[in-house]
Amino acid sequence: MKLLPAGRVIVIGSVNTDRILRCPVLPAPGETVLAADATLGFGGKGGSQAVAAARMGAATHLVAKVGRDADGEAALADLRGAQIETGAVHTHPDAPTGQAIVMVEPGGENSIVVVPGANARLTPEEVTAALARLHLLPVDVVLTSNEVPAECIRATAAALPAAGPNGGTRWLHNTAPAGDLPGPGPTGRRPLVVANAVEARQLTGAATATEAARALARLAEGAVVTLGGEGAVVVTGEGLTRLPAPAVQVVDTTGAGDVFCGALAARLARGAALAEAAATAVAAGAFAVTALGARGALPRPADL
Ligand code: RIB
């Protein structure tokens, strides 16, 4: 049997500094609550997806933008320390590094407000140039999400080579924060959509997560809908697979979806079948909720 080389994971996404507030309850509109404490952490959906993929053993590249400031320098140093290839992480001279206020309640649920800053200044030209330099291969996996401008997602779609008889570079699109689904690029490539249950229902108007997953799959190459503690459901042309999650002690659900996406991309880049890769991603997402912060618990393969 001929073994294929492992593919790379290429993440196009956001980099944020997270200020994490542990709150007794999440504030309702008009309400003031007193947090137990505030801590700073590295975050941003793209940054965390990339670090999660690298932890799972993938050669990982990040296409992103930070500010020319102390947060940006710290974020870059952290990404490089995590073995991420940061040649396409740009620095904006004026816009600050993205920030997020993350409020977490004792049950682990959160509310997040993001100030995009430099993330909103990533340009489609920068994405196109980065992907051209990487010479995408059929074994590579490209991962996008909605914290960078929609034109950057369209530039990604346009840069994907046409699929050959055995498929092509895999494109995963994470619909977080909830936003429109990207249309196909000029070569007709559509993404495999990764959404949580809320996003999936918002995008499709379906009453249940399972119906939403089926509806999303019809609009894309397939759909993976995460269900929190219930695991995930995968829908492709071949049918529907339910993947249960292991029971864990939940500390903070922040970033669980990012770890899920990073692990899914890493396993697909290793040639795993989608259901098998998604099962690993469910376990990775469950691991991620056991500590505070988006990067508090990032699994290595041996942890799963
Ligand atoms: O998914 C969690 C992430 O959302 C946080 O790290 C925050 O930065 C926002 O991007």
Side-chain angles (χ1 to χ4, degrees):
M1 189 175 68
K2 195 173 164 209
L3 284 179
L4 288 171
R8 300 164 294 180
V9 172
I10 297 128
V11 179
I12 294 124
S14 59
V15 172
N16 294 334
T17 303
D18 289 357
R19 186 174 294 274
I20 307 156
L21 310 180
R22 285 195 308 128
C23 303
V25 290
L26 299 178
E31 187 183 15
T32 300
V33 300
L34 300 183
D37 50 31
T39 46
L40 287 179
F42 296 109
K45 296 186 193 304
S48 296
Q49 290 168 351
V51 176
R55 275 279 181 129
M56 289 296 291
T60 306
H61 298 248
L62 179 61
V63 183
K65 189 168 279 187
V66 295
R68 190 171 294 161
D69 51 24
D71 283 349
E73 271 175 32
L76 266 169
D78 176 70
L79 291 164
R80 288 180 185 135
Q83 313 302 321
I84 310 293
E85 177 51 61
T86 58
V89 179
H90 300 271
T91 304
H92 195 282
D94 306 315
T97 297
Q99 297 175 45
I101 303 295
V102 181
M103 289 171 281
V104 185
E105 53 89 53
E109 280 308 325
N110 62 52
S111 285
I112 303 177
V113 180
V114 173
V115 187
N119 295 303
R121 305 297 190 91
L122 185 68
T123 69
E125 292 77 19
E126 288 161 341
V127 172
T128 304
L131 295 179
R133 271 198 304 274
L134 285 166
H135 300 289
L136 294 174
L137 299 169
V139 285
D140 293 333
V141 177
V142 172
L143 173 56
T144 53
S145 54
N146 287 336
E147 269 184 1
V148 292
E151 312 88 77
C152 294
I153 315 291
R154 284 195 283 275
T156 303
L160 292 174
N166 301 318
T169 306
R170 200 116 202 208
W171 175 21
L172 307 187
H173 180 70
N174 177 213
T175 61
D180 290 342
L181 279 189
T187 55
R189 301 298 311 280
R190 288 178 182 274
L192 171 72
V193 173
V194 184
N196 68 26
V198 174
E199 292 154 2
R201 287 203 304 269
Q202 279 176 359
L203 282 166
T204 60
T208 68
T210 304
E211 280 174 31
R214 288 190 201 279
L216 279 179
R218 284 193 289 273
L219 302 170
E221 195 194 272
V224 180
V225 174
T226 58
L227 309 172
E230 305 295 311
V233 57
V234 178
V235 181
T236 64
E238 284 152 28
L240 181 148
T241 311
R242 290 181 197 282
L243 301 164
V248 291
Q249 191 73 41
V250 179
V251 174
D252 180 5
T253 54
T254 308
D258 306 330
V259 173
F260 182 99
C261 289
L264 179 67
R267 292 300 301 145
L268 290 173
R270 282 265 161 194
L274 177 57
E276 182 199 333
T280 304
V282 167
F287 190 90
V289 303
T290 59
L292 189 70
R295 311 256 183 103
L298 297 180
R300 296 183 191 281
D303 295 317
L304 307 178

